[in-house]
Amino acid sequence: AAAPAAADAAATYAADVLAGRLTGDVDALAAVHLPEGAALRDAAAVGRVCRDCALLNNSDFPILALRRLETLDARLAAAGVVPSLVDEACVAGVRLVRRELQPQLDSILDGASWKLNMRQTMTMASGVKTTRRCVVETFTKATTGGRLETKITATIPLRLTSCLSAVLIPDLYATWLPAVKESAELARISRFRRLVYLRADHIWPFAQRDICLVGYGDILNATSVVIYLRSCHADEHLDERAATEARSDADHCVRAKVFGAFVLEVISATETRLTNVLYFDPILKVLPQGIIDFIMSKFASQVAPMFASQGAKFEEGGELRHLLDTPEHAPVFAEVMRRLACGGMHESVREGSLSG
């Protein structure tokens, strides 16, 4: 009787996760009800896992989808099963997460190859009648071709939801991101996947720069959220971009390129750690890329306190706090906290992150 029961549970895995009936740490949850032993040679069982991974990815669980597919790959390899059982067309979106998000996550979590370049304690505008400070660390490492990569870590005295608000409401980017004169959410592709447009200030004698971004994210573990962003591919979201990019082309804007990731980690109910790696190419051939990288490393350290100052406006008593209760935004933040709770976040920390 155990085998049919296990098969039934496997058949409803994705639905149970989406409904919150099946919860737990991401890595542990990824292995639940996966085929084992002889079942690894069952094309129907493996195909069901592939479909589950695709559904989870399309439902804004890219990290869980990726971890589940990686665990399946490892089990198939250990059992000597030919990988052709995996429906690669079905899991193409999950493989894309592996190629684009995972390297950025690896870079963020890697503590060995980065060199601490600067540690600063910066005053942030609090949004309420108190003065707050955040500790910002700038790390750099040299890579091939003389490139200089930068990672920023900031300990911010704000709730997780306040920090997330700075990221998840892109229409406000132009009010706090330096050198950004226009920002707009062109489409909400899904709850946690957005299409965003940014246009930079015009710095004579250079043409204006702009970017169309795709951003998405997921729960990384019981205390952390990861957000990935990149420039749009040439063939995606064409209808949503058409009018904005036509106006951009008429203004002779140059489309810059960017990709990177943020990790927001809960330290306590009132403190969050931000870690960020971001790679920016302004398509500016008159300057060597090494000089651009150096400028970006100096610029990046200034973004963290601005990020914190924007987040502070969403704290209790802040001028933007009311936005978190609107029908547009409240379900998004509630779902983030639900997933963290499912992953094991302690209730006292979770309540503090919600209540302010």
Side-chain angles (χ1 to χ4, degrees):
D8 290 344
T12 62
Y13 173 85
D16 288 342
V17 169
L18 296 179
R21 293 187 295 268
L22 190 58
T23 65
D25 172 78
V26 170
D27 290 333
L29 187 58
V32 172
H33 303 319
L34 272 182
E36 297 181 277
L40 288 168
R41 302 179 185 277
D42 181 348
V46 173
R48 182 169 54 238
V49 175
C50 293
R51 292 190 296 275
D52 279 349
C53 290
L55 176 58
L56 289 169
N57 187 47
N58 293 335
S59 302
D60 293 318
F61 285 82
I63 294 294
L64 178 58
L66 176 59
R67 297 293 178 259
R68 189 163 179 80
L69 184 58
E70 288 176 333
T71 305
L72 175 65
D73 287 338
R75 288 190 181 184
L76 290 172
V81 178
V82 291
S84 59
L85 286 179
V86 174
D87 184 346
E88 291 296 338
C90 181
V91 299
V94 187
R95 298 291 192 205
L96 179 61
V97 173
R98 176 67 183 87
R99 293 194 299 274
E100 62 184 20
L101 187 154
Q102 189 63 51
Q104 307 311 309
L105 189 54
D106 290 343
S107 186
I108 284 177
L109 299 178
D110 169 27
S113 62
W114 294 93
K115 178 184 177 181
L116 178 62
N117 189 50
M118 184 185 305
R119 179 183 286 110
Q120 301 167 280
T121 301
M122 297 184 171
T123 301
M124 48 181 272
S126 66
V128 292
K129 295 179 181 180
T130 58
T131 299
R132 305 190 188 187
R133 300 181 184 276
C134 61
V135 178
V136 181
E137 295 179 320
T138 304
F139 298 85
T140 57
K141 66 177 177 181
T143 60
T144 56
R147 298 293 305 272
L148 184 71
E149 296 183 4
T150 302
K151 178 170 76 171
I152 300 298
T153 297
T155 302
I156 301 173
L158 298 175
R159 300 172 299 137
L160 173 65
T161 47
S162 298
C163 291
L164 277 173
S165 301
V167 181
L168 293 181
I169 307 182
D171 288 340
L172 298 178
Y173 287 175
T175 67
W176 66 273
L177 271 175
V180 174
K181 66 173 292 185
E182 180 182 343
S183 61
E185 182 180 297
L186 299 184
R188 187 166 294 194
I189 303 161
S190 61
R191 180 172 287 179
F192 295 128
R193 184 177 285 259
R194 314 289 176 83
L195 179 66
V196 177
Y197 175 77
L198 302 177
R199 183 183 289 203
D201 287 326
H202 188 194
I203 302 174
W204 187 88
F206 306 112
Q208 281 188 306
R209 263 60 183 170
D210 67 357
I211 309 171
C212 269
L213 297 172
V214 170
Y216 62 88
D218 196 3
I219 303 306
L220 187 58
N221 53 45
T223 59
S224 300
V225 175
V226 59
I227 299 166
Y228 174 78
L229 57 88
R230 60 164 170 79
S231 298
C232 275
H233 298 315
D235 60 349
E236 66 179 339
H237 307 305
L238 297 178
D239 291 342
E240 295 90 340
R241 293 158 48 192
T244 299
E245 292 193 347
R247 177 169 59 87
S248 165
D249 292 341
D251 292 340
H252 305 290
C253 289
V254 174
R255 199 132 305 130
K257 296 179 181 179
V258 67
F259 65 93
F262 299 81
V263 170
L264 291 166
E265 179 187 3
V266 174
I267 300 175
S268 71
T270 58
E271 197 170 36
T272 304
R273 179 180 293 111
L274 163 71
T275 307
N276 164 236
V277 291
L278 195 65
Y279 304 87
F280 178 68
D281 182 358
I283 317 297
L284 194 60
K285 295 182 179 179
V286 296
L287 289 179
Q289 189 62 53
I291 293 178
I292 294 173
D293 290 340
F294 177 78
I295 294 171
M296 285 301 298
S297 71
K298 300 301 181 185
F299 172 81
S301 65
Q302 301 303 313
V303 171
M306 295 178 186
F307 177 97
S309 296
Q310 176 68 4
K313 296 176 184 178
F314 294 89
E315 292 279 279
E316 200 67 29
E319 63 186 277
L320 299 177
R321 174 63 182 82
H322 64 283
L323 293 179
L324 301 186
D325 299 323
T326 62
E328 181 181 4
H329 301 300
V332 175
F333 293 99
E335 174 63 8
V336 171
M337 302 313 294
R338 184 193 73 81
R339 293 192 190 184
L340 289 169
C342 289
M345 175 180 277
H346 193 275
E347 184 178 359
S348 63
V349 174
R350 191 167 67 252
E351 289 179 349
S353 290
L354 283 170
S355 66

